[in-house]
Amino acid sequence: MPRAILLLALALLAVRARADEQSCDAACATVRAECETTRSRQADALKTLQDERDTLLEDRSRKTDAHFVELERVREEHKKTSDAVAKDHAAALGVAEGAATDAKAALKRAEGALAGADRAAEVATAASATEHATALAEADKKRA
């Protein structure tokens, strides 16, 4: 009988060990499922973060490209404006140089006319002096 009790105890221990093993297997399966769920959530969160990062990088890249395009447009506009202003200045300088040349020619003509007027005044003064002297001489003859 002790042997039967011993076999019964061993059978109970085997049943209990099998139940503990099944309980452990169930607990492990639960932990594995939780781990898999956590991994899946982490993978989804990582994918979301990567997508957001890529979106932000693309936005920044587009904005940077847009800024460079705007900068180039402003440079071109400034160059066109500068070129137009330079052409206007060159034209104004040409007009001013032409006006200066005309003014120099007018000054030379005026100097020539002044010189002619001075000569005419000298001739007129000499003629007037001659006439005056002649008139004085005639007046002296009449008195005498």
Side-chain angles (χ1 to χ4, degrees), residues 7-88:
L7 284 176
L8 184 63
L10 281 175
L12 284 174
L13 283 175
V15 168
R16 186 168 180 184
R18 181 74 181 141
D20 285 347
E21 183 181 335
Q22 287 175 349
S23 176
C24 267
D25 287 345
C28 284
T30 301
V31 169
R32 280 189 191 110
E34 288 176 1
C35 286
E36 187 58 36
T37 301
T38 301
R39 281 188 195 134
S40 176
R41 287 181 187 154
Q42 287 176 342
D44 290 345
L46 179 61
K47 177 70 173 137
T48 301
L49 289 173
Q50 288 172 337
D51 289 346
E52 288 176 5
R53 182 200 63 203
D54 291 345
T55 300
L56 290 173
L57 288 173
E58 288 172 7
D59 286 348
R60 186 173 65 186
S61 178
R62 276 193 298 272
K63 286 178 182 177
T64 300
D65 290 345
H67 286 161
F68 278 120
V69 167
E70 179 65 13
L71 179 62
E72 190 60 32
R73 185 193 66 75
V74 168
R75 280 184 184 154
E76 287 297 319
E77 185 178 311
H78 178 69
K79 186 177 185 293
K80 288 177 185 175
T81 302
S82 295
D83 290 347
V85 168
K87 286 178 183 176
D88 289 347

Side-chain angles (χ1 to χ4, degrees), residues 116-134:
D118 282 346
R119 276 179 270 171
E122 287 174 7
V123 169
T125 302
S128 179
T130 304
E131 287 176 13
H132 186 63
T134 305

